[in-house]
Amino acid sequence: MSFLPESDREYLSSKGISFEEAVCGGNKGIILKGRPLPDGRFDASAADILIMLPAGYPDVPPDMFHLRPWVKLVPSNKFPNAADQPVAFGGNSWQRWSRHNPEWRPGIDGMRTMIKRIEHALEKAA
């Protein structure tokens, strides 16, 4: 079953991003597989990234993202700010990164925008 808009699937495929669409407890999510993390910032070099899609996506923005495995900052060995709560999805415990987006543009933004937001959050994590 595919629920991701065709434009998002095309974007992810064109960028060579491996992903899967998953449903858990009525929640829909996109899992970006084995995404590289910024060099030297975390205690892992790559992670799966879960983006839960709200009803009404893409006109309604995804709110947060989630990582697996959980990561800590190097060298402090601490979780990044607002990234220390678990979220259960698909039988796994995901690290919730509480990042909100008040600037989402319905009808314009999609996975391309969300991935850029995630990359920015990972680069700036403190």
Side-chain angles (χ1 to χ4, degrees), residues 17 23 30 34-36 39 58 72 75 79 96 99 103 114:
I17 297 172
V23 177
I30 303 302
R35 298 295 300 155
D39 286 339
K72 290 184 177 179
F79 292 119
R96 182 185 76 189
R99 307 294 188 271
E103 299 172 9
M114 190 64 187

Side-chain angles (χ1 to χ4, degrees), residues 27-112:
N27 294 311
K28 296 177 181 177
I30 303 302
I31 300 171
L32 308 177
K33 308 296 281 182
R35 298 295 300 155
L37 299 174
D39 286 339
R41 301 244 332 125
F42 302 100
D43 59 358
S45 60
D48 288 348
I49 301 173
L50 167 65
I51 303 166
M52 288 204 238
L53 300 180
Y57 175 85
D59 290 329
V60 177
D63 193 33
M64 301 179 224
F65 65 94
H66 312 79
L67 295 186
R68 191 174 59 102
W70 287 52
V71 298
K72 290 184 177 179
L73 292 163
V74 172
S76 70
N77 198 38
K78 293 182 179 180
F79 292 119
N81 292 334
D84 62 353
Q85 297 299 310
V87 167
F89 188 89
N92 295 299
S93 176
W94 294 80
Q95 178 183 19
R96 182 185 76 189
W97 286 61
S98 182
R99 307 294 188 271
H100 309 288
N101 183 12
E103 299 172 9
W104 189 265
R105 301 166 298 173
I108 297 171
D109 290 329
M111 276 299 120
R112 174 190 327 254

Side-chain angles (χ1 to χ4, degrees), residues 10-32:
E10 288 174 1
Y11 171 76
L12 294 170
S13 295
S14 76
K15 296 298 181 184
I17 297 172
S18 176
F19 69 97
E20 69 181 64
E21 298 172 73
V23 177
C24 178
N27 294 311
K28 296 177 181 177
I30 303 302
I31 300 171
L32 308 177

